[in-house]
Amino acid sequence: MGVRLIIILLFLGIKVADAAEMPESVVEVFYERFIHPSKTDSGKPYFESVTDLVSSGLLASLKAQHEYERKCVLLGSPEEKPHMLDQNPFFFAPDGIKAFLGAKSMLSDGTSKVDVVLGYDDLTWHDIVVLRREKGRWLVDNIFWGSGGSLSARLSSFMEVPCGT
């Protein structure tokens, strides 16, 4: 969580524990784990570094995609590249991001849409992260990329392609 956000919230009399459950804070932690990955996550599927921050539905889809990709590797010819996502599925661009530049949320009926500003060197863009309340916590449920498409649509369309084609 950003130091400025904590100071502002303390000034407003909001407890830091409550601040950690604000949608913007959850999204910031989510992206920071990809900007500054833990050494313990090296070599693991991307989603494993954020399992505590994604909804049960999204986590199930990510695990299914990973398992499908694993099966495609097993079924494919060793001479051919198997059907797989060649990038972190949470990002539209293959290179990911280098900076989390800000967020603003809009709340509605147990859902929050967080407009995030992300950066890679001199390039910046907006994505919309949809969070849902699950077991009293805000959790990432989908991402709509400013360049078009969404995480859930990418996962669905990926698994529609038969292995080996």
Side-chain angles (χ1 to χ4, degrees):
M1 181 174 350
V3 174
R4 288 183 287 187
L5 179 60
I6 292 172
I7 292 170
I8 291 168
L9 295 171
L10 287 172
F11 179 75
L12 295 173
I14 299 172
K15 296 178 189 170
V16 175
D18 294 338
E21 280 302 312
M22 294 178 65
E24 297 94 335
S25 300
V26 172
V27 170
E28 182 174 3
V29 170
F30 175 85
Y31 283 112
E32 287 295 330
R33 289 191 188 168
F34 295 115
I35 296 168
H36 305 289
S38 167
K39 290 181 182 180
T40 60
D41 291 329
S42 180
K44 295 180 181 177
Y46 292 106
F47 70 87
E48 287 189 8
S49 65
V50 292
T51 57
D52 61 318
L53 299 174
V54 298
S55 69
S56 58
L58 178 56
L59 184 58
S61 293
L62 289 160
K63 287 179 177 180
Q65 177 273 323
H66 180 71
E67 182 61 21
Y68 187 79
E69 191 171 284
R70 191 186 70 73
K71 286 181 182 176
C72 287
V73 169
L74 294 174
L75 292 171
S77 166
E79 297 85 37
E80 293 183 27
K81 180 180 175 187
H83 179 53
M84 62 181 1
L85 292 178
D86 285 333
Q87 67 185 66
N88 184 326
F90 295 105
F91 303 111
F92 181 77
D95 293 334
I97 64 169
K98 287 187 177 180
F100 177 86
L101 302 171
K104 181 181 175 186
S105 68
M106 302 154 278
L107 297 170
S108 158
D109 298 329
T111 299
S112 177
K113 291 181 180 175
V114 181
D115 181 359
V116 296
V117 182
L118 304 170
Y120 192 96
D121 294 339
D122 293 334
L123 181 65
T124 62
W125 67 93
H126 290 256
D127 288 345
I128 301 293
V129 180
V130 178
L131 294 93
R132 295 201 186 286
R133 295 286 293 176
E134 194 172 287
K135 297 181 182 177
R137 297 185 57 220
W138 287 110
L139 299 172
V140 174
D141 195 52
N142 200 3
I143 300 171
F144 290 88
W145 300 301
S147 299
S150 72
L151 174 58
S152 60
R154 174 182 280 168
L155 295 173
S156 293
S157 66
F158 174 83
M159 291 186 283
E160 289 174 354
V161 176
C163 292
T165 60

